[in-house]
Amino acid sequence: MEHKGTVKIETERLVLRRFVEEDAEVMFANWASDPEVTKFLRWPAHGSVEVSKRVVGDWVSHYGEEDFYQWAIVPKELGEPIGSISVVEQNEKAEKVHIGYCIGRKWWRQGYTSEALRGLLPFFFREVKAGRVEAQHDPENPGSGKVMEACGLRYEGTLRRADWSNRGIVDACMYGLLAEEFEAGRD
């Protein structure tokens, strides 16, 4: 793959950009402190803004690495982050990136997460030269699967007891999109 790092990407309603340290308080308020948002994730809700400050500080410290991908999801009308989308795992030999995302409850079911993921696909396939973009969700969180399907990722099966989250050991519904499928769908 030809890594580019976390570059600014714009969609119709969103700016996907690097986090800055000043985002920590908004992150805490808009999504990171809500246990309902983190229910299906691998990290617990932040108990204080200090936790959010440490997390954002860590992300900011990695932005110099070309294979680090962590975006703030910022609606243009709002001008502040409402969630994040990132590469949570990658495999160079398989030319694969695994995407994870979360968004504040106030903005659920408004198409923002789908728009963010859809905005990253051309970047990963055409610029980074990934051969596969994948994502997964807990079967108890079907809304996340709807995001993946809306972006053209195909359901590939459910891996039993293959992941863990704040709910414990869970099944994982796997979705993937290959570079050639992405390009064929763009005709």
Side-chain angles (χ1 to χ4, degrees):
M1 291 189 287
E2 300 173 16
H3 292 292
K4 310 288 183 192
T6 307
V7 300
K8 182 178 173 183
I9 295 172
E10 288 196 41
T11 66
E12 183 180 339
R13 299 182 298 163
L14 301 173
V15 174
L16 305 177
R17 63 158 172 82
R18 292 180 175 193
F19 279 89
V20 294
E21 297 201 12
E22 294 76 26
D23 292 327
E25 290 184 17
V26 171
M27 174 188 183
F28 180 78
N30 284 350
W31 76 93
S33 62
D34 185 347
E36 193 64 25
V37 169
T38 63
K39 180 178 181 178
F40 299 105
L41 303 179
R42 293 180 178 170
W43 50 272
H46 295 180
S48 73
V49 73
E50 297 307 316
V51 175
S52 298
K53 286 179 180 178
R54 283 195 301 273
V55 169
V56 171
D58 180 60
W59 291 341
V60 168
S61 76
H62 288 285
Y63 280 133
E65 301 166 21
E66 288 190 348
D67 64 348
F68 182 75
Y69 301 100
Q70 178 73 52
W71 286 272
I73 300 172
V74 182
K76 292 176 181 177
E77 285 186 2
L78 185 61
E80 66 184 33
I82 61 168
S84 67
I85 188 165
S86 62
V87 171
V88 295
E89 188 180 310
Q90 55 189 303
N91 183 316
E92 287 291 325
K93 288 184 180 180
E95 298 177 337
K96 171 181 77 172
V97 293
H98 187 104
I99 306 293
Y101 45 76
C102 65
I103 192 167
R105 205 179 337 174
K106 181 177 176 181
W107 298 278
W108 288 358
R109 291 179 281 287
Q110 296 179 41
Y112 288 118
T113 310
S114 298
E115 187 172 332
L117 178 56
R118 198 175 299 111
L120 293 183
L121 294 175
F123 171 73
F124 280 115
F125 287 128
R126 294 183 176 152
E127 295 184 43
V128 176
K129 309 290 191 225
R132 173 183 170 87
V133 172
E134 66 178 29
Q136 70 186 49
H137 72 88
D138 183 319
E140 298 295 317
N141 185 17
S144 189
K146 289 179 182 175
V147 167
M148 297 166 200
E149 289 174 353
C151 296
L153 279 71
R154 296 182 183 178
Y155 173 69
E156 298 177 336
T158 298
L159 307 175
R160 297 171 301 145
R161 296 179 50 90
D163 200 15
W164 59 273
S165 71
N166 289 319
R167 292 186 345 102
I169 297 173
V170 296
D171 294 349
C173 298
M174 183 62 68
Y175 289 74
L177 182 63
L178 305 181
E180 56 269 24
E181 295 167 339
F182 174 77
E183 292 303 337
R186 295 294 166 181
D187 294 337

